[in-house]
Amino acid sequence: MAGPLVRQLWAATTPATPPSAREHILPHGDMHLVIRPSGESIRLFDQGDRSPIDLGPAVVGGVRTAYYVKAVPGDVQSVGVAFHPAAAHALLGCTAEELAGRHVALDDLWGPRAVANLREQLQLANSPAAQLDIVERALGERLRNFRGLHPAVADVVERFRSITNVAAVVRQTG
């Protein structure tokens, strides 16, 4: 699904770390979605604060202008998406401006039932590649259900699922 809306899909397992490990995340121009299939909560710290903020196992992070600090639990698997802020409305149901500078539980955007179903599918997947396919399908389904996208644009976005060459898509669509 990498293309005009999604910059990158990824899956990773965090190696064993000390219980107090923290990571500073620098600001960048992408929004992101992180899901921990096992249910391990994503915990963030306000700058300078010692008490973690527990956001649950699925979180969307908006574009930020300042760093944030996250807890780094050891031996935890995560699946994620980095996407362009312009994708927020189509994929998340809100604007990038509404998410700017903060993190929001995915439950609040997609509903607890949809997120629980997605996490269950991710838990049953037998490989990181299968997990990425599941996340890509979930995002594609959200995009198909989005009513604000012009049909010609939706067609082009769908073509980018299998074709990464812009010139080829232009030739196909005119």
Side-chain angles (χ1 to χ4, degrees):
M1 176 173 262
L5 299 179
V6 173
R7 188 178 311 275
Q8 181 181 32
L9 292 163
W10 56 268
T13 301
T14 307
T17 59
S20 61
R22 295 182 184 181
E23 181 178 6
H24 287 74
I25 308 298
L26 298 175
H28 51 80
D30 291 336
M31 298 180 69
H32 62 276
L33 165 64
V34 177
I35 304 165
R36 292 191 174 150
S38 66
E40 178 77 29
S41 192
I42 296 166
R43 294 181 10 214
L44 304 180
F45 297 86
D46 285 334
Q47 294 174 8
D49 190 33
R50 297 183 194 271
S51 302
I53 301 164
D54 186 334
L55 294 169
V59 174
V60 174
V63 174
R64 302 179 75 85
T65 58
Y67 77 91
Y68 65 94
V69 180
K70 73 173 186 172
V72 183
D75 200 29
V76 171
Q77 186 179 32
S78 300
V79 180
V81 181
F83 50 92
H84 303 280
H89 191 53
L91 298 177
L92 301 172
C94 62
T95 67
E97 184 178 19
E98 292 173 278
L99 298 171
R102 63 192 199 117
H103 287 85
V104 176
L106 187 59
D107 283 4
D108 295 341
L109 301 173
W110 285 5
R113 187 174 207 172
V115 175
N117 183 39
L118 177 58
R119 285 189 43 248
E120 182 179 323
Q121 290 178 47
L122 293 171
Q123 289 169 4
L124 296 174
N126 58 5
S127 70
Q131 289 179 324
L132 294 177
D133 288 343
I134 290 166
V135 170
E136 188 171 9
R137 277 194 306 273
L139 293 173
E141 190 61 37
R142 303 268 321 161
L143 189 59
R144 276 189 280 286
N145 293 332
F146 179 63
R147 301 277 185 236
L149 200 60
H150 188 280
V153 175
D155 177 52
V156 169
V157 170
E158 184 64 27
R159 289 173 191 267
F160 276 116
R161 292 176 58 106
S162 61
I163 301 171
T164 57
N165 183 306
V166 174
V169 173
V170 169
R171 279 191 303 276
Q172 289 178 1
T173 61

PDB file of all heavy atoms in Angstrom, residues 48-87:
ATOM      1  N   GLY A  48       9.892  15.442  30.542  1.00  0.00           N
ATOM      2  CA  GLY A  48      10.248  15.722  31.922  1.00  0.00           C
ATOM      3  C   GLY A  48       9.391  15.008  32.948  1.00  0.00           C
ATOM      4  O   GLY A  48       9.698  15.018  34.134  1.00  0.00           O
ATOM      5  N   ASP A  49       8.293  14.380  32.555  1.00  0.00           N
ATOM      6  CA  ASP A  49       7.403  13.721  33.508  1.00  0.00           C
ATOM      7  C   ASP A  49       7.887  12.300  33.780  1.00  0.00           C
ATOM      8  O   ASP A  49       8.348  11.612  32.889  1.00  0.00           O
ATOM      9  CB  ASP A  49       5.977  13.694  32.948  1.00  0.00           C
ATOM     10  CG  ASP A  49       4.970  13.249  33.983  1.00  0.00           C
ATOM     11  OD1 ASP A  49       5.161  13.553  35.174  1.00  0.00           O
ATOM     12  OD2 ASP A  49       3.994  12.602  33.590  1.00  0.00           O
ATOM     13  N   ARG A  50       7.753  11.868  35.003  1.00  0.00           N
ATOM     14  CA  ARG A  50       8.198  10.522  35.361  1.00  0.00           C
ATOM     15  C   ARG A  50       7.070   9.498  35.328  1.00  0.00           C
ATOM     16  O   ARG A  50       7.315   8.312  35.368  1.00  0.00           O
ATOM     17  CB  ARG A  50       8.822  10.543  36.753  1.00  0.00           C
ATOM     18  CG  ARG A  50      10.049  11.416  36.812  1.00  0.00           C
ATOM     19  CD  ARG A  50      10.675  11.345  38.197  1.00  0.00           C
ATOM     20  NE  ARG A  50      11.647  12.394  38.375  1.00  0.00           N
ATOM     21  CZ  ARG A  50      12.922  12.277  38.057  1.00  0.00           C
ATOM     22  NH1 ARG A  50      13.372  11.166  37.565  1.00  0.00           N
ATOM     23  NH2 ARG A  50      13.749  13.275  38.246  1.00  0.00           N
ATOM     24  N   SER A  51       5.828   9.943  35.240  1.00  0.00           N
ATOM     25  CA  SER A  51       4.692   9.021  35.225  1.00  0.00           C
ATOM     26  C   SER A  51       4.282   8.713  33.789  1.00  0.00           C
ATOM     27  O   SER A  51       4.023   9.631  33.015  1.00  0.00           O
ATOM     28  CB  SER A  51       3.501   9.640  35.953  1.00  0.00           C
ATOM     29  OG  SER A  51       3.848   9.962  37.269  1.00  0.00           O
ATOM     30  N   PRO A  52       4.194   7.433  33.437  1.00  0.00           N
ATOM     31  CA  PRO A  52       3.822   7.104  32.060  1.00  0.00           C
ATOM     32  C   PRO A  52       2.334   7.326  31.796  1.00  0.00           C
ATOM     33  O   PRO A  52       1.505   7.249  32.697  1.00  0.00           O
ATOM     34  CB  PRO A  52       4.172   5.628  31.941  1.00  0.00           C
ATOM     35  CG  PRO A  52       4.071   5.107  33.341  1.00  0.00           C
ATOM     36  CD  PRO A  52       4.478   6.254  34.230  1.00  0.00           C
ATOM     37  N   ILE A  53       2.033   7.598  30.551  1.00  0.00           N
ATOM     38  CA  ILE A  53       0.658   7.690  30.084  1.00  0.00           C
ATOM     39  C   ILE A  53       0.386   6.409  29.315  1.00  0.00           C
ATOM     40  O   ILE A  53       1.068   6.104  28.338  1.00  0.00           O
ATOM     41  CB  ILE A  53       0.472   8.917  29.164  1.00  0.00           C
ATOM     42  CG1 ILE A  53       0.826  10.192  29.909  1.00  0.00           C
ATOM     43  CG2 ILE A  53      -0.946   8.974  28.609  1.00  0.00           C
ATOM     44  CD1 ILE A  53       1.052  11.385  28.998  1.00  0.00           C
ATOM     45  N   ASP A  54      -0.580   5.635  29.770  1.00  0.00           N
ATOM     46  CA  ASP A  54      -0.902   4.340  29.175  1.00  0.00           C
ATOM     47  C   ASP A  54      -1.950   4.560  28.087  1.00  0.00           C
ATOM     48  O   ASP A  54      -3.058   4.987  28.368  1.00  0.00           O
ATOM     49  CB  ASP A  54      -1.440   3.414  30.262  1.00  0.00           C
ATOM     50  CG  ASP A  54      -1.657   2.010  29.782  1.00  0.00           C
ATOM     51  OD1 ASP A  54      -1.875   1.805  28.572  1.00  0.00           O
ATOM     52  OD2 ASP A  54      -1.615   1.099  30.622  1.00  0.00           O
ATOM     53  N   LEU A  55      -1.582   4.258  26.834  1.00  0.00           N
ATOM     54  CA  LEU A  55      -2.483   4.500  25.709  1.00  0.00           C
ATOM     55  C   LEU A  55      -3.136   3.237  25.161  1.00  0.00           C
ATOM     56  O   LEU A  55      -3.906   3.311  24.213  1.00  0.00           O
ATOM     57  CB  LEU A  55      -1.719   5.201  24.586  1.00  0.00           C
ATOM     58  CG  LEU A  55      -1.252   6.607  24.918  1.00  0.00           C
ATOM     59  CD1 LEU A  55      -0.298   7.111  23.860  1.00  0.00           C
ATOM     60  CD2 LEU A  55      -2.438   7.548  25.056  1.00  0.00           C
ATOM     61  N   GLY A  56      -2.834   2.084  25.727  1.00  0.00           N
ATOM     62  CA  GLY A  56      -3.387   0.846  25.202  1.00  0.00           C
ATOM     63  C   GLY A  56      -2.495   0.259  24.121  1.00  0.00           C
ATOM     64  O   GLY A  56      -1.445   0.798  23.798  1.00  0.00           O
ATOM     65  N   PRO A  57      -2.928  -0.845  23.505  1.00  0.00           N
ATOM     66  CA  PRO A  57      -2.072  -1.565  22.562  1.00  0.00           C
ATOM     67  C   PRO A  57      -2.125  -1.088  21.116  1.00  0.00           C
ATOM     68  O   PRO A  57      -1.432  -1.629  20.268  1.00  0.00           O
ATOM     69  CB  PRO A  57      -2.592  -2.997  22.664  1.00  0.00           C
ATOM     70  CG  PRO A  57      -4.037  -2.825  22.997  1.00  0.00           C
ATOM     71  CD  PRO A  57      -4.113  -1.613  23.881  1.00  0.00           C
ATOM     72  N   ALA A  58      -2.938  -0.079  20.805  1.00  0.00           N
ATOM     73  CA  ALA A  58      -3.030   0.427  19.432  1.00  0.00           C
ATOM     74  C   ALA A  58      -3.168   1.940  19.481  1.00  0.00           C
ATOM     75  O   ALA A  58      -4.123   2.462  20.067  1.00  0.00           O
ATOM     76  CB  ALA A  58      -4.218  -0.199  18.707  1.00  0.00           C
ATOM     77  N   VAL A  59      -2.218   2.644  18.870  1.00  0.00           N
ATOM     78  CA  VAL A  59      -2.123   4.101  19.026  1.00  0.00           C
ATOM     79  C   VAL A  59      -1.844   4.765  17.682  1.00  0.00           C
ATOM     80  O   VAL A  59      -1.081   4.244  16.870  1.00  0.00           O
ATOM     81  CB  VAL A  59      -0.987   4.458  20.015  1.00  0.00           C
ATOM     82  CG1 VAL A  59      -0.761   5.946  20.097  1.00  0.00           C
ATOM     83  CG2 VAL A  59      -1.297   3.892  21.384  1.00  0.00           C
ATOM     84  N   VAL A  60      -2.443   5.932  17.501  1.00  0.00           N
ATOM     85  CA  VAL A  60      -2.144   6.785  16.354  1.00  0.00           C
ATOM     86  C   VAL A  60      -1.408   8.008  16.883  1.00  0.00           C
ATOM     87  O   VAL A  60      -1.849   8.626  17.862  1.00  0.00           O
ATOM     88  CB  VAL A  60      -3.431   7.232  15.632  1.00  0.00           C
ATOM     89  CG1 VAL A  60      -3.114   8.239  14.538  1.00  0.00           C
ATOM     90  CG2 VAL A  60      -4.162   6.029  15.067  1.00  0.00           C
ATOM     91  N   GLY A  61      -0.302   8.337  16.246  1.00  0.00           N
ATOM     92  CA  GLY A  61       0.462   9.524  16.608  1.00  0.00           C
ATOM     93  C   GLY A  61       0.376  10.554  15.499  1.00  0.00           C
ATOM     94  O   GLY A  61       0.616  10.244  14.337  1.00  0.00           O
ATOM     95  N   GLY A  62       0.016  11.769  15.866  1.00  0.00           N
ATOM     96  CA  GLY A  62      -0.061  12.844  14.887  1.00  0.00           C
ATOM     97  C   GLY A  62       1.309  13.443  14.616  1.00  0.00           C
ATOM     98  O   GLY A  62       2.291  13.130  15.290  1.00  0.00           O
ATOM     99  N   VAL A  63       1.349  14.313  13.627  1.00  0.00           N
ATOM    100  CA  VAL A  63       2.581  15.032  13.309  1.00  0.00           C
ATOM    101  C   VAL A  63       2.939  15.881  14.524  1.00  0.00           C
ATOM    102  O   VAL A  63       2.079  16.485  15.164  1.00  0.00           O
ATOM    103  CB  VAL A  63       2.372  15.918  12.060  1.00  0.00           C
ATOM    104  CG1 VAL A  63       3.580  16.784  11.797  1.00  0.00           C
ATOM    105  CG2 VAL A  63       2.067  15.044  10.855  1.00  0.00           C
ATOM    106  N   ARG A  64       4.224  15.931  14.847  1.00  0.00           N
ATOM    107  CA  ARG A  64       4.671  16.629  16.052  1.00  0.00           C
ATOM    108  C   ARG A  64       5.758  17.637  15.710  1.00  0.00           C
ATOM    109  O   ARG A  64       6.495  17.464  14.747  1.00  0.00           O
ATOM    110  CB  ARG A  64       5.208  15.634  17.072  1.00  0.00           C
ATOM    111  CG  ARG A  64       4.198  14.583  17.468  1.00  0.00           C
ATOM    112  CD  ARG A  64       4.788  13.623  18.464  1.00  0.00           C
ATOM    113  NE  ARG A  64       4.895  14.202  19.778  1.00  0.00           N
ATOM    114  CZ  ARG A  64       3.925  14.232  20.690  1.00  0.00           C
ATOM    115  NH1 ARG A  64       2.760  13.706  20.408  1.00  0.00           N
ATOM    116  NH2 ARG A  64       4.116  14.763  21.863  1.00  0.00           N
ATOM    117  N   THR A  65       5.873  18.648  16.563  1.00  0.00           N
ATOM    118  CA  THR A  65       6.956  19.620  16.427  1.00  0.00           C
ATOM    119  C   THR A  65       7.970  19.476  17.550  1.00  0.00           C
ATOM    120  O   THR A  65       8.971  20.185  17.563  1.00  0.00           O
ATOM    121  CB  THR A  65       6.401  21.061  16.426  1.00  0.00           C
ATOM    122  OG1 THR A  65       5.684  21.273  17.640  1.00  0.00           O
ATOM    123  CG2 THR A  65       5.502  21.293  15.221  1.00  0.00           C
ATOM    124  N   ALA A  66       7.698  18.581  18.487  1.00  0.00           N
ATOM    125  CA  ALA A  66       8.609  18.354  19.611  1.00  0.00           C
ATOM    126  C   ALA A  66       8.789  16.844  19.800  1.00  0.00           C
ATOM    127  O   ALA A  66       7.938  16.056  19.402  1.00  0.00           O
ATOM    128  CB  ALA A  66       8.049  18.976  20.884  1.00  0.00           C
ATOM    129  N   TYR A  67       9.875  16.473  20.428  1.00  0.00           N
ATOM    130  CA  TYR A  67      10.107  15.057  20.687  1.00  0.00           C
ATOM    131  C   TYR A  67       9.136  14.551  21.743  1.00  0.00           C
ATOM    132  O   TYR A  67       8.495  15.316  22.456  1.00  0.00           O
ATOM    133  CB  TYR A  67      11.554  14.824  21.132  1.00  0.00           C
ATOM    134  CG  TYR A  67      11.844  15.192  22.566  1.00  0.00           C
ATOM    135  CD1 TYR A  67      11.712  14.236  23.577  1.00  0.00           C
ATOM    136  CD2 TYR A  67      12.249  16.473  22.915  1.00  0.00           C
ATOM    137  CE1 TYR A  67      11.981  14.560  24.900  1.00  0.00           C
ATOM    138  CE2 TYR A  67      12.512  16.799  24.229  1.00  0.00           C
ATOM    139  CZ  TYR A  67      12.370  15.847  25.221  1.00  0.00           C
ATOM    140  OH  TYR A  67      12.632  16.172  26.520  1.00  0.00           O
ATOM    141  N   TYR A  68       9.023  13.229  21.834  1.00  0.00           N
ATOM    142  CA  TYR A  68       8.307  12.603  22.938  1.00  0.00           C
ATOM    143  C   TYR A  68       9.133  11.419  23.406  1.00  0.00           C
ATOM    144  O   TYR A  68      10.081  11.001  22.743  1.00  0.00           O
ATOM    145  CB  TYR A  68       6.872  12.208  22.567  1.00  0.00           C
ATOM    146  CG  TYR A  68       6.744  11.148  21.507  1.00  0.00           C
ATOM    147  CD1 TYR A  68       6.611   9.798  21.843  1.00  0.00           C
ATOM    148  CD2 TYR A  68       6.715  11.479  20.160  1.00  0.00           C
ATOM    149  CE1 TYR A  68       6.474   8.821  20.864  1.00  0.00           C
ATOM    150  CE2 TYR A  68       6.577  10.511  19.179  1.00  0.00           C
ATOM    151  CZ  TYR A  68       6.446   9.190  19.548  1.00  0.00           C
ATOM    152  OH  TYR A  68       6.314   8.226  18.580  1.00  0.00           O
ATOM    153  N   VAL A  69       8.776  10.899  24.554  1.00  0.00           N
ATOM    154  CA  VAL A  69       9.521   9.798  25.156  1.00  0.00           C
ATOM    155  C   VAL A  69       8.573   8.620  25.312  1.00  0.00           C
ATOM    156  O   VAL A  69       7.457   8.774  25.803  1.00  0.00           O
ATOM    157  CB  VAL A  69      10.102  10.205  26.532  1.00  0.00           C
ATOM    158  CG1 VAL A  69      10.870   9.055  27.155  1.00  0.00           C
ATOM    159  CG2 VAL A  69      10.976  11.443  26.396  1.00  0.00           C
ATOM    160  N   LYS A  70       9.039   7.445  24.888  1.00  0.00           N
ATOM    161  CA  LYS A  70       8.216   6.245  25.045  1.00  0.00           C
ATOM    162  C   LYS A  70       8.971   5.194  25.833  1.00  0.00           C
ATOM    163  O   LYS A  70      10.198   5.124  25.798  1.00  0.00           O
ATOM    164  CB  LYS A  70       7.774   5.694  23.696  1.00  0.00           C
ATOM    165  CG  LYS A  70       8.863   5.013  22.913  1.00  0.00           C
ATOM    166  CD  LYS A  70       8.305   4.342  21.665  1.00  0.00           C
ATOM    167  CE  LYS A  70       9.394   3.557  20.977  1.00  0.00           C
ATOM    168  NZ  LYS A  70       8.907   2.746  19.888  1.00  0.00           N
ATOM    169  N   ALA A  71       8.217   4.391  26.564  1.00  0.00           N
ATOM    170  CA  ALA A  71       8.793   3.241  27.255  1.00  0.00           C
ATOM    171  C   ALA A  71       9.133   2.193  26.198  1.00  0.00           C
ATOM    172  O   ALA A  71       8.420   2.037  25.211  1.00  0.00           O
ATOM    173  CB  ALA A  71       7.788   2.677  28.249  1.00  0.00           C
ATOM    174  N   VAL A  72      10.228   1.481  26.403  1.00  0.00           N
ATOM    175  CA  VAL A  72      10.664   0.453  25.462  1.00  0.00           C
ATOM    176  C   VAL A  72      10.626  -0.890  26.184  1.00  0.00           C
ATOM    177  O   VAL A  72      11.589  -1.277  26.833  1.00  0.00           O
ATOM    178  CB  VAL A  72      12.093   0.749  24.939  1.00  0.00           C
ATOM    179  CG1 VAL A  72      12.507  -0.296  23.908  1.00  0.00           C
ATOM    180  CG2 VAL A  72      12.180   2.147  24.360  1.00  0.00           C
ATOM    181  N   PRO A  73       9.498  -1.580  26.095  1.00  0.00           N
ATOM    182  CA  PRO A  73       9.427  -2.891  26.743  1.00  0.00           C
ATOM    183  C   PRO A  73      10.199  -3.910  25.921  1.00  0.00           C
ATOM    184  O   PRO A  73      10.269  -3.819  24.695  1.00  0.00           O
ATOM    185  CB  PRO A  73       7.932  -3.204  26.730  1.00  0.00           C
ATOM    186  CG  PRO A  73       7.425  -2.474  25.536  1.00  0.00           C
ATOM    187  CD  PRO A  73       8.279  -1.231  25.414  1.00  0.00           C
ATOM    188  N   GLY A  74      10.805  -4.857  26.576  1.00  0.00           N
ATOM    189  CA  GLY A  74      11.581  -5.864  25.867  1.00  0.00           C
ATOM    190  C   GLY A  74      10.720  -6.991  25.340  1.00  0.00           C
ATOM    191  O   GLY A  74       9.671  -7.301  25.907  1.00  0.00           O
ATOM    192  N   ASP A  75      11.168  -7.571  24.242  1.00  0.00           N
ATOM    193  CA  ASP A  75      10.550  -8.749  23.644  1.00  0.00           C
ATOM    194  C   ASP A  75       9.065  -8.544  23.355  1.00  0.00           C
ATOM    195  O   ASP A  75       8.229  -9.371  23.687  1.00  0.00           O
ATOM    196  CB  ASP A  75      10.767  -9.967  24.543  1.00  0.00           C
ATOM    197  CG  ASP A  75      10.598 -11.258  23.766  1.00  0.00           C
ATOM    198  OD1 ASP A  75      10.867 -11.265  22.550  1.00  0.00           O
ATOM    199  OD2 ASP A  75      10.163 -12.250  24.374  1.00  0.00           O
ATOM    200  N   VAL A  76       8.736  -7.411  22.743  1.00  0.00           N
ATOM    201  CA  VAL A  76       7.362  -7.094  22.376  1.00  0.00           C
ATOM    202  C   VAL A  76       7.300  -6.879  20.872  1.00  0.00           C
ATOM    203  O   VAL A  76       8.127  -6.169  20.306  1.00  0.00           O
ATOM    204  CB  VAL A  76       6.859  -5.826  23.113  1.00  0.00           C
ATOM    205  CG1 VAL A  76       5.521  -5.380  22.583  1.00  0.00           C
ATOM    206  CG2 VAL A  76       6.783  -6.087  24.599  1.00  0.00           C
ATOM    207  N   GLN A  77       6.315  -7.489  20.249  1.00  0.00           N
ATOM    208  CA  GLN A  77       6.145  -7.320  18.813  1.00  0.00           C
ATOM    209  C   GLN A  77       5.208  -6.153  18.531  1.00  0.00           C
ATOM    210  O   GLN A  77       4.206  -5.965  19.219  1.00  0.00           O
ATOM    211  CB  GLN A  77       5.590  -8.583  18.193  1.00  0.00           C
ATOM    212  CG  GLN A  77       5.542  -8.498  16.683  1.00  0.00           C
ATOM    213  CD  GLN A  77       5.025  -9.750  16.044  1.00  0.00           C
ATOM    214  OE1 GLN A  77       4.188 -10.424  16.615  1.00  0.00           O
ATOM    215  NE2 GLN A  77       5.506 -10.039  14.858  1.00  0.00           N
ATOM    216  N   SER A  78       5.541  -5.375  17.502  1.00  0.00           N
ATOM    217  CA  SER A  78       4.713  -4.255  17.064  1.00  0.00           C
ATOM    218  C   SER A  78       4.577  -4.296  15.553  1.00  0.00           C
ATOM    219  O   SER A  78       5.477  -4.735  14.844  1.00  0.00           O
ATOM    220  CB  SER A  78       5.355  -2.921  17.458  1.00  0.00           C
ATOM    221  OG  SER A  78       5.506  -2.814  18.846  1.00  0.00           O
ATOM    222  N   VAL A  79       3.448  -3.823  15.087  1.00  0.00           N
ATOM    223  CA  VAL A  79       3.190  -3.663  13.658  1.00  0.00           C
ATOM    224  C   VAL A  79       2.791  -2.213  13.476  1.00  0.00           C
ATOM    225  O   VAL A  79       2.042  -1.666  14.299  1.00  0.00           O
ATOM    226  CB  VAL A  79       2.061  -4.597  13.177  1.00  0.00           C
ATOM    227  CG1 VAL A  79       1.801  -4.424  11.689  1.00  0.00           C
ATOM    228  CG2 VAL A  79       2.375  -6.042  13.512  1.00  0.00           C
ATOM    229  N   GLY A  80       3.312  -1.567  12.432  1.00  0.00           N
ATOM    230  CA  GLY A  80       3.023  -0.151  12.298  1.00  0.00           C
ATOM    231  C   GLY A  80       2.925   0.336  10.873  1.00  0.00           C
ATOM    232  O   GLY A  80       3.259  -0.373   9.920  1.00  0.00           O
ATOM    233  N   VAL A  81       2.456   1.559  10.783  1.00  0.00           N
ATOM    234  CA  VAL A  81       2.280   2.235   9.508  1.00  0.00           C
ATOM    235  C   VAL A  81       2.735   3.678   9.681  1.00  0.00           C
ATOM    236  O   VAL A  81       2.357   4.341  10.655  1.00  0.00           O
ATOM    237  CB  VAL A  81       0.794   2.247   9.092  1.00  0.00           C
ATOM    238  CG1 VAL A  81       0.613   2.922   7.745  1.00  0.00           C
ATOM    239  CG2 VAL A  81       0.208   0.851   9.095  1.00  0.00           C
ATOM    240  N   ALA A  82       3.543   4.152   8.748  1.00  0.00           N
ATOM    241  CA  ALA A  82       3.845   5.579   8.659  1.00  0.00           C
ATOM    242  C   ALA A  82       3.072   6.083   7.453  1.00  0.00           C
ATOM    243  O   ALA A  82       3.179   5.510   6.367  1.00  0.00           O
ATOM    244  CB  ALA A  82       5.346   5.809   8.472  1.00  0.00           C
ATOM    245  N   PHE A  83       2.243   7.104   7.660  1.00  0.00           N
ATOM    246  CA  PHE A  83       1.464   7.597   6.541  1.00  0.00           C
ATOM    247  C   PHE A  83       1.474   9.112   6.496  1.00  0.00           C
ATOM    248  O   PHE A  83       1.783   9.783   7.472  1.00  0.00           O
ATOM    249  CB  PHE A  83       0.044   7.035   6.529  1.00  0.00           C
ATOM    250  CG  PHE A  83      -0.698   7.153   7.816  1.00  0.00           C
ATOM    251  CD1 PHE A  83      -1.500   8.247   8.079  1.00  0.00           C
ATOM    252  CD2 PHE A  83      -0.627   6.146   8.761  1.00  0.00           C
ATOM    253  CE1 PHE A  83      -2.195   8.337   9.257  1.00  0.00           C
ATOM    254  CE2 PHE A  83      -1.324   6.233   9.942  1.00  0.00           C
ATOM    255  CZ  PHE A  83      -2.110   7.338  10.206  1.00  0.00           C
ATOM    256  N   HIS A  84       1.157   9.612   5.338  1.00  0.00           N
ATOM    257  CA  HIS A  84       1.131  11.051   5.114  1.00  0.00           C
ATOM    258  C   HIS A  84      -0.039  11.668   5.881  1.00  0.00           C
ATOM    259  O   HIS A  84      -1.108  11.068   5.967  1.00  0.00           O
ATOM    260  CB  HIS A  84       0.981  11.349   3.619  1.00  0.00           C
ATOM    261  CG  HIS A  84       2.044  10.739   2.788  1.00  0.00           C
ATOM    262  ND1 HIS A  84       3.297  11.295   2.653  1.00  0.00           N
ATOM    263  CD2 HIS A  84       2.067   9.597   2.052  1.00  0.00           C
ATOM    264  CE1 HIS A  84       4.024  10.542   1.870  1.00  0.00           C
ATOM    265  NE2 HIS A  84       3.311   9.503   1.493  1.00  0.00           N
ATOM    266  N   PRO A  85       0.135  12.870   6.410  1.00  0.00           N
ATOM    267  CA  PRO A  85      -0.963  13.524   7.112  1.00  0.00           C
ATOM    268  C   PRO A  85      -2.233  13.645   6.268  1.00  0.00           C
ATOM    269  O   PRO A  85      -3.342  13.599   6.792  1.00  0.00           O
ATOM    270  CB  PRO A  85      -0.391  14.896   7.460  1.00  0.00           C
ATOM    271  CG  PRO A  85       1.083  14.675   7.548  1.00  0.00           C
ATOM    272  CD  PRO A  85       1.381  13.636   6.494  1.00  0.00           C
ATOM    273  N   ALA A  86      -2.079  13.751   4.958  1.00  0.00           N
ATOM    274  CA  ALA A  86      -3.246  13.856   4.082  1.00  0.00           C
ATOM    275  C   ALA A  86      -4.112  12.594   4.123  1.00  0.00           C
ATOM    276  O   ALA A  86      -5.277  12.635   3.728  1.00  0.00           O
ATOM    277  CB  ALA A  86      -2.796  14.124   2.654  1.00  0.00           C
ATOM    278  N   ALA A  87      -3.576  11.497   4.612  1.00  0.00           N
ATOM    279  CA  ALA A  87      -4.325  10.242   4.674  1.00  0.00           C
ATOM    280  C   ALA A  87      -5.224  10.158   5.901  1.00  0.00           C
ATOM    281  O   ALA A  87      -6.054   9.262   5.996  1.00  0.00           O
ATOM    282  CB  ALA A  87      -3.351   9.068   4.679  1.00  0.00           C
TER     283      ALA A  87
END
